[in-house]
Amino acid sequence: MAVLVTGGAGFIGSHTCVELLNAGENIVILDNFSNSKPDVLDKIKAITKKDFKFYEVDLLDPEGVEKVFSENEIDTVIHFAGLKAVGESVQKPLEYYYNNITGTLILCDAMRKHHCKRIVFSSSATVYGSPKTVPIREDFPLSTTNPYGSTKLMLEQILSDLYVPDHDWSVMLLRYFNPIGAHQSGMIGENPNGIPNNLMPYVCQVAVGKLDHLNVFGNDYPTPDGTGVRDYIHVVDLAVGHLKALQYARKHTGVEAVNLGTGTGYSVLDIVHSFEKANNIKIPYEIAPRRAGDIAECYADPAKAKEMLGWVAQYNIETMCKDAWNFISNNH
Ligand code: WQD
């Protein structure tokens, strides 16, 4: 039996594959390299000294997806593959709905045909919209403010509906907060193409001298220092959370939404100062206008993950900043 990891060459996917292989899991990776690079596969093998089957397949290709399931005994899917840039989704809603929703429907159809009824889904804290209070629990109201977030919320609903007529399904909806950092080897990490949208990759580009300063999007939020507060979580902690969710899903059926966050919020300036201190590098910044769609504060109540999965984030912000720098300084 094998675990299929869709989007396994991506940032979170590749770190999860490392943890799965190190835990002795037999995995199959599917990726179309739309937001990842083929050399990541070799790095996963180098880090783990383990091998795996790989298929360069787009989830929008039903024949390609069928081939993966007919050639392998897949008993669980960990589903990362999807477009994930918030700003881009506002400009290209049709691409986001078509790619993320239709791709997942094709995946689930193949799963059903091959009697694979266990899925761990890459969801996002963005499904909470603009929370009235923090920390955020899984039973908080759900709403979205952009097509990317709407695809995540719709897919949570679609996957939950699979369980209603067929209680053999096991569905884990993992709601990520803000993943940053990199594997301690420095061989895999976050290296988006073009100008980064997200804070840490942007800080890293300033640190390597590709960008001359960081624009801090607003310092007039109702937060301790006026800048946006988020729950930054080490990508390896996030990866381990998927392994724990897989182990739970093997023993239980049903639908469970679980926050994967640290439970601690850090502001933009906290991140800048932590990065500077951890790596002894100056990060010049300028205060800029707020970014449309941003919220003031977002961080998790991670109690359910601890109680249900026995999972607690281990790495602190200093390690996240050091590991992010270690990766980008060796791979820019
Ligand atoms: C973090 C903070 C910005 C860039 C998004 C998605 C979420 C998830 C993670 C997919 C905010 C500030 C940022 C910059 C800045 N992605 N910032 N200057 O927006 O919390 O979450 O990415 O699942 O779904 O919504 O992350 O890193 O873009 O922003 O000041 O150049 O950094 O205003 O306060 P965000 P982010």
Side-chain angles (χ1 to χ4, degrees), residues 84 86 123-124 126 148 176-179 196-200 202 214-217 228-230 232 268 291 294-295:
K84 64 152 199 167
V86 170
S123 190
S124 167
T126 203
Y148 159 75
Y176 309 158
F177 283 71
N178 289 59
N197 294 306
N198 296 134
L199 178 63
M200 183 55 87
Y202 200 106
L214 169 73
N215 294 303
V216 175
F217 296 146
V229 171
R230 297 292 185 272
Y232 297 95
V268 177
R291 179 173 65 177
D294 273 355
I295 59 177

PDB file of all heavy atoms in Angstrom, residues 84 86 123-124 126 148 176-179 196-200 202 214-217 228-230 232 268 291 294-295, ligand 1:
ATOM      1  N   LYS A  84      -2.265  28.771  -5.132  1.00  0.00           N
ATOM      2  CA  LYS A  84      -2.403  29.211  -3.737  1.00  0.00           C
ATOM      3  C   LYS A  84      -2.048  30.675  -3.491  1.00  0.00           C
ATOM      4  O   LYS A  84      -1.836  31.088  -2.351  1.00  0.00           O
ATOM      5  CB  LYS A  84      -1.524  28.341  -2.851  1.00  0.00           C
ATOM      6  CG  LYS A  84      -0.050  28.460  -3.138  1.00  0.00           C
ATOM      7  CD  LYS A  84       0.745  28.165  -1.875  1.00  0.00           C
ATOM      8  CE  LYS A  84       2.125  28.707  -1.991  1.00  0.00           C
ATOM      9  NZ  LYS A  84       2.830  28.728  -0.728  1.00  0.00           N
ATOM     10  N   VAL A  86      -3.117  34.350  -3.029  1.00  0.00           N
ATOM     11  CA  VAL A  86      -4.357  35.084  -2.749  1.00  0.00           C
ATOM     12  C   VAL A  86      -4.585  36.189  -3.785  1.00  0.00           C
ATOM     13  O   VAL A  86      -5.624  36.268  -4.440  1.00  0.00           O
ATOM     14  CB  VAL A  86      -4.288  35.677  -1.326  1.00  0.00           C
ATOM     15  CG1 VAL A  86      -5.431  36.643  -1.081  1.00  0.00           C
ATOM     16  CG2 VAL A  86      -4.285  34.572  -0.297  1.00  0.00           C
ATOM     17  N   SER A 123      -5.870  22.518   3.722  1.00  0.00           N
ATOM     18  CA  SER A 123      -6.739  23.685   3.787  1.00  0.00           C
ATOM     19  C   SER A 123      -5.929  24.852   4.376  1.00  0.00           C
ATOM     20  O   SER A 123      -4.710  24.829   4.378  1.00  0.00           O
ATOM     21  CB  SER A 123      -8.001  23.388   4.611  1.00  0.00           C
ATOM     22  OG  SER A 123      -8.928  24.459   4.462  1.00  0.00           O
ATOM     23  N   SER A 124      -6.637  25.865   4.836  1.00  0.00           N
ATOM     24  CA  SER A 124      -5.914  27.089   5.204  1.00  0.00           C
ATOM     25  C   SER A 124      -6.712  27.899   6.214  1.00  0.00           C
ATOM     26  O   SER A 124      -7.940  27.878   6.212  1.00  0.00           O
ATOM     27  CB  SER A 124      -5.683  27.938   3.938  1.00  0.00           C
ATOM     28  OG  SER A 124      -5.268  29.241   4.290  1.00  0.00           O
ATOM     29  N   THR A 126      -7.218  30.744   6.044  1.00  0.00           N
ATOM     30  CA  THR A 126      -7.945  31.763   5.293  1.00  0.00           C
ATOM     31  C   THR A 126      -9.443  31.486   5.268  1.00  0.00           C
ATOM     32  O   THR A 126     -10.249  32.373   5.004  1.00  0.00           O
ATOM     33  CB  THR A 126      -7.360  31.868   3.864  1.00  0.00           C
ATOM     34  OG1 THR A 126      -7.663  33.133   3.333  1.00  0.00           O
ATOM     35  CG2 THR A 126      -7.854  30.775   2.966  1.00  0.00           C
ATOM     36  N   TYR A 148      -9.130  32.275  -3.867  1.00  0.00           N
ATOM     37  CA  TYR A 148      -8.260  31.208  -3.337  1.00  0.00           C
ATOM     38  C   TYR A 148      -8.895  30.614  -2.078  1.00  0.00           C
ATOM     39  O   TYR A 148      -9.096  29.409  -1.962  1.00  0.00           O
ATOM     40  CB  TYR A 148      -6.861  31.747  -3.011  1.00  0.00           C
ATOM     41  CG  TYR A 148      -6.121  30.870  -2.039  1.00  0.00           C
ATOM     42  CD1 TYR A 148      -5.580  29.664  -2.442  1.00  0.00           C
ATOM     43  CD2 TYR A 148      -6.040  31.224  -0.689  1.00  0.00           C
ATOM     44  CE1 TYR A 148      -4.943  28.835  -1.528  1.00  0.00           C
ATOM     45  CE2 TYR A 148      -5.412  30.407   0.222  1.00  0.00           C
ATOM     46  CZ  TYR A 148      -4.861  29.217  -0.200  1.00  0.00           C
ATOM     47  OH  TYR A 148      -4.245  28.399   0.703  1.00  0.00           O
ATOM     48  N   TYR A 176      -3.852  25.377   7.738  1.00  0.00           N
ATOM     49  CA  TYR A 176      -2.515  25.892   8.020  1.00  0.00           C
ATOM     50  C   TYR A 176      -2.596  27.374   8.374  1.00  0.00           C
ATOM     51  O   TYR A 176      -3.367  28.111   7.763  1.00  0.00           O
ATOM     52  CB  TYR A 176      -1.616  25.832   6.783  1.00  0.00           C
ATOM     53  CG  TYR A 176      -1.536  24.532   6.064  1.00  0.00           C
ATOM     54  CD1 TYR A 176      -1.132  24.516   4.739  1.00  0.00           C
ATOM     55  CD2 TYR A 176      -1.852  23.319   6.661  1.00  0.00           C
ATOM     56  CE1 TYR A 176      -1.042  23.324   4.026  1.00  0.00           C
ATOM     57  CE2 TYR A 176      -1.757  22.135   5.962  1.00  0.00           C
ATOM     58  CZ  TYR A 176      -1.359  22.142   4.645  1.00  0.00           C
ATOM     59  OH  TYR A 176      -1.265  20.967   3.944  1.00  0.00           O
ATOM     60  N   PHE A 177      -1.734  27.821   9.239  1.00  0.00           N
ATOM     61  CA  PHE A 177      -1.581  29.250   9.481  1.00  0.00           C
ATOM     62  C   PHE A 177      -0.457  29.736   8.573  1.00  0.00           C
ATOM     63  O   PHE A 177      -0.582  29.527   7.343  1.00  0.00           O
ATOM     64  CB  PHE A 177      -1.466  29.499  10.995  1.00  0.00           C
ATOM     65  CG  PHE A 177      -2.844  29.389  11.612  1.00  0.00           C
ATOM     66  CD1 PHE A 177      -3.475  28.156  11.729  1.00  0.00           C
ATOM     67  CD2 PHE A 177      -3.550  30.528  11.978  1.00  0.00           C
ATOM     68  CE1 PHE A 177      -4.780  28.053  12.223  1.00  0.00           C
ATOM     69  CE2 PHE A 177      -4.857  30.437  12.485  1.00  0.00           C
ATOM     70  CZ  PHE A 177      -5.467  29.203  12.599  1.00  0.00           C
ATOM     71  N   ASN A 178       0.616  30.293   9.064  1.00  0.00           N
ATOM     72  CA  ASN A 178       1.603  30.836   8.117  1.00  0.00           C
ATOM     73  C   ASN A 178       2.896  30.033   8.107  1.00  0.00           C
ATOM     74  O   ASN A 178       3.779  30.289   8.930  1.00  0.00           O
ATOM     75  CB  ASN A 178       1.873  32.302   8.447  1.00  0.00           C
ATOM     76  CG  ASN A 178       0.703  33.174   8.094  1.00  0.00           C
ATOM     77  OD1 ASN A 178      -0.416  32.984   8.602  1.00  0.00           O
ATOM     78  ND2 ASN A 178       0.905  34.112   7.181  1.00  0.00           N
ATOM     79  N   PRO A 179       3.035  29.083   7.201  1.00  0.00           N
ATOM     80  CA  PRO A 179       4.232  28.236   7.179  1.00  0.00           C
ATOM     81  C   PRO A 179       5.459  28.991   6.686  1.00  0.00           C
ATOM     82  O   PRO A 179       5.407  29.648   5.636  1.00  0.00           O
ATOM     83  CB  PRO A 179       3.868  27.100   6.218  1.00  0.00           C
ATOM     84  CG  PRO A 179       2.710  27.582   5.439  1.00  0.00           C
ATOM     85  CD  PRO A 179       2.057  28.693   6.187  1.00  0.00           C
ATOM     86  N   PRO A 196       8.183  37.739  -4.312  1.00  0.00           N
ATOM     87  CA  PRO A 196       7.337  36.990  -3.372  1.00  0.00           C
ATOM     88  C   PRO A 196       6.135  37.814  -2.879  1.00  0.00           C
ATOM     89  O   PRO A 196       6.261  39.021  -2.665  1.00  0.00           O
ATOM     90  CB  PRO A 196       8.279  36.681  -2.213  1.00  0.00           C
ATOM     91  CG  PRO A 196       9.664  36.871  -2.761  1.00  0.00           C
ATOM     92  CD  PRO A 196       9.551  37.932  -3.802  1.00  0.00           C
ATOM     93  N   ASN A 197       5.006  37.128  -2.711  1.00  0.00           N
ATOM     94  CA  ASN A 197       3.836  37.787  -2.098  1.00  0.00           C
ATOM     95  C   ASN A 197       3.952  37.738  -0.573  1.00  0.00           C
ATOM     96  O   ASN A 197       3.541  38.645   0.122  1.00  0.00           O
ATOM     97  CB  ASN A 197       2.541  37.047  -2.494  1.00  0.00           C
ATOM     98  CG  ASN A 197       2.269  37.156  -3.987  1.00  0.00           C
ATOM     99  OD1 ASN A 197       2.221  38.257  -4.523  1.00  0.00           O
ATOM    100  ND2 ASN A 197       2.128  36.017  -4.647  1.00  0.00           N
ATOM    101  N   ASN A 198       4.501  36.601  -0.084  1.00  0.00           N
ATOM    102  CA  ASN A 198       4.470  36.373   1.361  1.00  0.00           C
ATOM    103  C   ASN A 198       5.675  37.005   2.074  1.00  0.00           C
ATOM    104  O   ASN A 198       6.727  37.225   1.482  1.00  0.00           O
ATOM    105  CB  ASN A 198       4.421  34.862   1.651  1.00  0.00           C
ATOM    106  CG  ASN A 198       3.145  34.222   1.128  1.00  0.00           C
ATOM    107  OD1 ASN A 198       3.197  33.185   0.518  1.00  0.00           O
ATOM    108  ND2 ASN A 198       1.996  34.844   1.384  1.00  0.00           N
ATOM    109  N   LEU A 199       5.505  37.276   3.356  1.00  0.00           N
ATOM    110  CA  LEU A 199       6.478  38.046   4.127  1.00  0.00           C
ATOM    111  C   LEU A 199       7.858  37.420   4.196  1.00  0.00           C
ATOM    112  O   LEU A 199       8.857  38.044   3.797  1.00  0.00           O
ATOM    113  CB  LEU A 199       5.959  38.267   5.559  1.00  0.00           C
ATOM    114  CG  LEU A 199       6.924  39.028   6.491  1.00  0.00           C
ATOM    115  CD1 LEU A 199       7.166  40.444   5.984  1.00  0.00           C
ATOM    116  CD2 LEU A 199       6.383  39.055   7.917  1.00  0.00           C
ATOM    117  N   MET A 200       7.957  36.148   4.643  1.00  0.00           N
ATOM    118  CA  MET A 200       9.291  35.585   4.875  1.00  0.00           C
ATOM    119  C   MET A 200      10.104  35.453   3.577  1.00  0.00           C
ATOM    120  O   MET A 200      11.279  35.826   3.549  1.00  0.00           O
ATOM    121  CB  MET A 200       9.204  34.250   5.598  1.00  0.00           C
ATOM    122  CG  MET A 200      10.553  33.654   5.941  1.00  0.00           C
ATOM    123  SD  MET A 200      11.623  34.774   6.900  1.00  0.00           S
ATOM    124  CE  MET A 200      11.086  34.385   8.549  1.00  0.00           C
ATOM    125  N   TYR A 202       9.953  37.294   1.074  1.00  0.00           N
ATOM    126  CA  TYR A 202      10.332  38.653   0.689  1.00  0.00           C
ATOM    127  C   TYR A 202      11.509  39.132   1.549  1.00  0.00           C
ATOM    128  O   TYR A 202      12.517  39.642   1.036  1.00  0.00           O
ATOM    129  CB  TYR A 202       9.146  39.614   0.841  1.00  0.00           C
ATOM    130  CG  TYR A 202       9.311  40.891   0.032  1.00  0.00           C
ATOM    131  CD1 TYR A 202       8.578  41.088  -1.128  1.00  0.00           C
ATOM    132  CD2 TYR A 202      10.201  41.891   0.428  1.00  0.00           C
ATOM    133  CE1 TYR A 202       8.729  42.241  -1.884  1.00  0.00           C
ATOM    134  CE2 TYR A 202      10.377  43.036  -0.325  1.00  0.00           C
ATOM    135  CZ  TYR A 202       9.632  43.206  -1.481  1.00  0.00           C
ATOM    136  OH  TYR A 202       9.812  44.350  -2.242  1.00  0.00           O
ATOM    137  N   LEU A 214      12.157  45.980   2.536  1.00  0.00           N
ATOM    138  CA  LEU A 214      10.822  45.395   2.740  1.00  0.00           C
ATOM    139  C   LEU A 214       9.803  46.530   2.862  1.00  0.00           C
ATOM    140  O   LEU A 214      10.072  47.562   3.495  1.00  0.00           O
ATOM    141  CB  LEU A 214      10.805  44.573   4.034  1.00  0.00           C
ATOM    142  CG  LEU A 214       9.436  44.120   4.538  1.00  0.00           C
ATOM    143  CD1 LEU A 214       8.887  42.990   3.649  1.00  0.00           C
ATOM    144  CD2 LEU A 214       9.512  43.655   5.990  1.00  0.00           C
ATOM    145  N   ASN A 215       8.665  46.372   2.233  1.00  0.00           N
ATOM    146  CA  ASN A 215       7.543  47.291   2.469  1.00  0.00           C
ATOM    147  C   ASN A 215       6.651  46.666   3.536  1.00  0.00           C
ATOM    148  O   ASN A 215       6.127  45.561   3.335  1.00  0.00           O
ATOM    149  CB  ASN A 215       6.735  47.490   1.178  1.00  0.00           C
ATOM    150  CG  ASN A 215       7.548  48.213   0.120  1.00  0.00           C
ATOM    151  OD1 ASN A 215       8.040  49.335   0.375  1.00  0.00           O
ATOM    152  ND2 ASN A 215       7.734  47.591  -1.027  1.00  0.00           N
ATOM    153  N   VAL A 216       6.523  47.360   4.654  1.00  0.00           N
ATOM    154  CA  VAL A 216       5.651  46.874   5.729  1.00  0.00           C
ATOM    155  C   VAL A 216       4.249  47.391   5.453  1.00  0.00           C
ATOM    156  O   VAL A 216       4.020  48.605   5.462  1.00  0.00           O
ATOM    157  CB  VAL A 216       6.158  47.370   7.099  1.00  0.00           C
ATOM    158  CG1 VAL A 216       5.189  46.961   8.213  1.00  0.00           C
ATOM    159  CG2 VAL A 216       7.557  46.819   7.367  1.00  0.00           C
ATOM    160  N   PHE A 217       3.340  46.481   5.176  1.00  0.00           N
ATOM    161  CA  PHE A 217       1.994  46.894   4.725  1.00  0.00           C
ATOM    162  C   PHE A 217       1.129  47.358   5.900  1.00  0.00           C
ATOM    163  O   PHE A 217       0.271  46.651   6.396  1.00  0.00           O
ATOM    164  CB  PHE A 217       1.303  45.739   4.002  1.00  0.00           C
ATOM    165  CG  PHE A 217       1.988  45.318   2.730  1.00  0.00           C
ATOM    166  CD1 PHE A 217       1.973  43.980   2.345  1.00  0.00           C
ATOM    167  CD2 PHE A 217       2.630  46.237   1.910  1.00  0.00           C
ATOM    168  CE1 PHE A 217       2.595  43.559   1.169  1.00  0.00           C
ATOM    169  CE2 PHE A 217       3.252  45.825   0.729  1.00  0.00           C
ATOM    170  CZ  PHE A 217       3.232  44.496   0.365  1.00  0.00           C
ATOM    171  N   GLY A 228       0.712  43.915  11.159  1.00  0.00           N
ATOM    172  CA  GLY A 228      -0.114  42.695  11.134  1.00  0.00           C
ATOM    173  C   GLY A 228       0.488  41.560  11.946  1.00  0.00           C
ATOM    174  O   GLY A 228       1.702  41.349  11.914  1.00  0.00           O
ATOM    175  N   VAL A 229      -0.390  40.844  12.664  1.00  0.00           N
ATOM    176  CA  VAL A 229       0.048  39.724  13.508  1.00  0.00           C
ATOM    177  C   VAL A 229      -0.440  38.416  12.890  1.00  0.00           C
ATOM    178  O   VAL A 229      -1.618  38.284  12.547  1.00  0.00           O
ATOM    179  CB  VAL A 229      -0.511  39.882  14.939  1.00  0.00           C
ATOM    180  CG1 VAL A 229      -0.273  38.624  15.777  1.00  0.00           C
ATOM    181  CG2 VAL A 229       0.135  41.095  15.619  1.00  0.00           C
ATOM    182  N   ARG A 230       0.500  37.435  12.774  1.00  0.00           N
ATOM    183  CA  ARG A 230       0.169  36.136  12.201  1.00  0.00           C
ATOM    184  C   ARG A 230       0.790  35.009  13.024  1.00  0.00           C
ATOM    185  O   ARG A 230       1.746  35.255  13.785  1.00  0.00           O
ATOM    186  CB  ARG A 230       0.705  36.025  10.754  1.00  0.00           C
ATOM    187  CG  ARG A 230       0.109  37.029   9.772  1.00  0.00           C
ATOM    188  CD  ARG A 230      -1.353  36.759   9.495  1.00  0.00           C
ATOM    189  NE  ARG A 230      -1.890  37.642   8.466  1.00  0.00           N
ATOM    190  CZ  ARG A 230      -2.415  38.847   8.690  1.00  0.00           C
ATOM    191  NH1 ARG A 230      -2.448  39.307   9.947  1.00  0.00           N
ATOM    192  NH2 ARG A 230      -2.902  39.569   7.703  1.00  0.00           N
ATOM    193  N   TYR A 232       3.057  32.244  12.722  1.00  0.00           N
ATOM    194  CA  TYR A 232       4.067  31.633  11.859  1.00  0.00           C
ATOM    195  C   TYR A 232       4.446  30.269  12.418  1.00  0.00           C
ATOM    196  O   TYR A 232       4.715  30.141  13.613  1.00  0.00           O
ATOM    197  CB  TYR A 232       5.291  32.546  11.744  1.00  0.00           C
ATOM    198  CG  TYR A 232       4.944  33.863  11.086  1.00  0.00           C
ATOM    199  CD1 TYR A 232       4.631  34.981  11.852  1.00  0.00           C
ATOM    200  CD2 TYR A 232       4.855  33.981   9.706  1.00  0.00           C
ATOM    201  CE1 TYR A 232       4.253  36.181  11.256  1.00  0.00           C
ATOM    202  CE2 TYR A 232       4.491  35.178   9.100  1.00  0.00           C
ATOM    203  CZ  TYR A 232       4.181  36.267   9.882  1.00  0.00           C
ATOM    204  OH  TYR A 232       3.802  37.454   9.283  1.00  0.00           O
ATOM    205  N   VAL A 268       4.674  41.796  11.995  1.00  0.00           N
ATOM    206  CA  VAL A 268       5.628  41.933  10.891  1.00  0.00           C
ATOM    207  C   VAL A 268       6.975  42.399  11.441  1.00  0.00           C
ATOM    208  O   VAL A 268       8.027  41.840  11.111  1.00  0.00           O
ATOM    209  CB  VAL A 268       5.108  42.926   9.831  1.00  0.00           C
ATOM    210  CG1 VAL A 268       6.132  43.120   8.717  1.00  0.00           C
ATOM    211  CG2 VAL A 268       3.779  42.434   9.258  1.00  0.00           C
ATOM    212  N   ARG A 291      -2.226  46.477   2.792  1.00  0.00           N
ATOM    213  CA  ARG A 291      -2.514  45.677   1.584  1.00  0.00           C
ATOM    214  C   ARG A 291      -3.995  45.299   1.615  1.00  0.00           C
ATOM    215  O   ARG A 291      -4.500  44.827   2.636  1.00  0.00           O
ATOM    216  CB  ARG A 291      -1.641  44.419   1.575  1.00  0.00           C
ATOM    217  CG  ARG A 291      -1.839  43.484   0.414  1.00  0.00           C
ATOM    218  CD  ARG A 291      -0.804  42.359   0.408  1.00  0.00           C
ATOM    219  NE  ARG A 291      -0.970  41.492   1.588  1.00  0.00           N
ATOM    220  CZ  ARG A 291      -0.220  40.397   1.788  1.00  0.00           C
ATOM    221  NH1 ARG A 291       0.731  40.063   0.923  1.00  0.00           N
ATOM    222  NH2 ARG A 291      -0.417  39.652   2.867  1.00  0.00           N
ATOM    223  N   ASP A 294      -5.981  42.357   3.735  1.00  0.00           N
ATOM    224  CA  ASP A 294      -5.273  41.907   4.942  1.00  0.00           C
ATOM    225  C   ASP A 294      -6.134  42.118   6.184  1.00  0.00           C
ATOM    226  O   ASP A 294      -6.924  43.060   6.240  1.00  0.00           O
ATOM    227  CB  ASP A 294      -3.974  42.692   5.122  1.00  0.00           C
ATOM    228  CG  ASP A 294      -2.825  42.048   4.359  1.00  0.00           C
ATOM    229  OD1 ASP A 294      -3.033  40.973   3.786  1.00  0.00           O
ATOM    230  OD2 ASP A 294      -1.728  42.635   4.325  1.00  0.00           O
ATOM    231  N   ILE A 295      -5.921  41.268   7.174  1.00  0.00           N
ATOM    232  CA  ILE A 295      -6.600  41.436   8.472  1.00  0.00           C
ATOM    233  C   ILE A 295      -5.534  41.779   9.507  1.00  0.00           C
ATOM    234  O   ILE A 295      -4.347  41.560   9.273  1.00  0.00           O
ATOM    235  CB  ILE A 295      -7.381  40.154   8.877  1.00  0.00           C
ATOM    236  CG1 ILE A 295      -6.445  38.949   8.973  1.00  0.00           C
ATOM    237  CG2 ILE A 295      -8.492  39.884   7.864  1.00  0.00           C
ATOM    238  CD1 ILE A 295      -7.161  37.670   9.451  1.00  0.00           C
TER     239      ILE A 295
HETATM  240  C1  WQD B   1       1.898  38.123   6.481  1.00  0.00           C
HETATM  241  C2  WQD B   1       1.953  39.515   7.074  1.00  0.00           C
HETATM  242  C3  WQD B   1       1.171  41.246   5.613  1.00  0.00           C
HETATM  243  C4  WQD B   1       4.424  40.823   2.681  1.00  0.00           C
HETATM  244  C5  WQD B   1      -1.303  34.312   3.105  1.00  0.00           C
HETATM  245  C6  WQD B   1      -2.528  33.593   2.659  1.00  0.00           C
HETATM  246  C7  WQD B   1      -2.694  32.328   3.459  1.00  0.00           C
HETATM  247  C8  WQD B   1      -1.442  31.498   3.369  1.00  0.00           C
HETATM  248  C9  WQD B   1      -0.233  32.302   3.821  1.00  0.00           C
HETATM  249  C10 WQD B   1      -1.830  29.877   1.639  1.00  0.00           C
HETATM  250  C11 WQD B   1       0.730  40.364   6.774  1.00  0.00           C
HETATM  251  C12 WQD B   1       2.658  41.425   5.907  1.00  0.00           C
HETATM  252  C13 WQD B   1       3.596  40.646   3.773  1.00  0.00           C
HETATM  253  C14 WQD B   1       5.157  42.033   2.532  1.00  0.00           C
HETATM  254  C15 WQD B   1       4.206  42.811   4.588  1.00  0.00           C
HETATM  255  N1  WQD B   1      -1.258  31.026   2.055  1.00  0.00           N
HETATM  256  N2  WQD B   1       3.500  41.623   4.712  1.00  0.00           N
HETATM  257  N3  WQD B   1       5.019  42.980   3.503  1.00  0.00           N
HETATM  258  O1  WQD B   1      -1.420  37.204   4.017  1.00  0.00           O
HETATM  259  O2  WQD B   1      -1.090  36.206   6.363  1.00  0.00           O
HETATM  260  O3  WQD B   1      -1.452  34.696   4.440  1.00  0.00           O
HETATM  261  O4  WQD B   1      -0.182  33.466   2.981  1.00  0.00           O
HETATM  262  O5  WQD B   1      -2.439  29.087   2.288  1.00  0.00           O
HETATM  263  O6  WQD B   1      -3.793  31.631   2.940  1.00  0.00           O
HETATM  264  O7  WQD B   1      -3.636  34.419   2.908  1.00  0.00           O
HETATM  265  O8  WQD B   1       0.696  35.923   4.622  1.00  0.00           O
HETATM  266  O9  WQD B   1       3.073  36.366   4.329  1.00  0.00           O
HETATM  267  O10 WQD B   1       1.422  37.460   2.716  1.00  0.00           O
HETATM  268  O11 WQD B   1       1.563  38.265   5.083  1.00  0.00           O
HETATM  269  O12 WQD B   1       4.106  43.695   5.457  1.00  0.00           O
HETATM  270  O13 WQD B   1       5.916  42.248   1.552  1.00  0.00           O
HETATM  271  O14 WQD B   1       3.060  40.209   6.496  1.00  0.00           O
HETATM  272  O15 WQD B   1       0.491  42.498   5.593  1.00  0.00           O
HETATM  273  O16 WQD B   1       0.449  41.179   7.904  1.00  0.00           O
HETATM  274  P1  WQD B   1      -0.879  36.115   4.898  1.00  0.00           P
HETATM  275  P2  WQD B   1       1.736  36.999   4.107  1.00  0.00           P
END
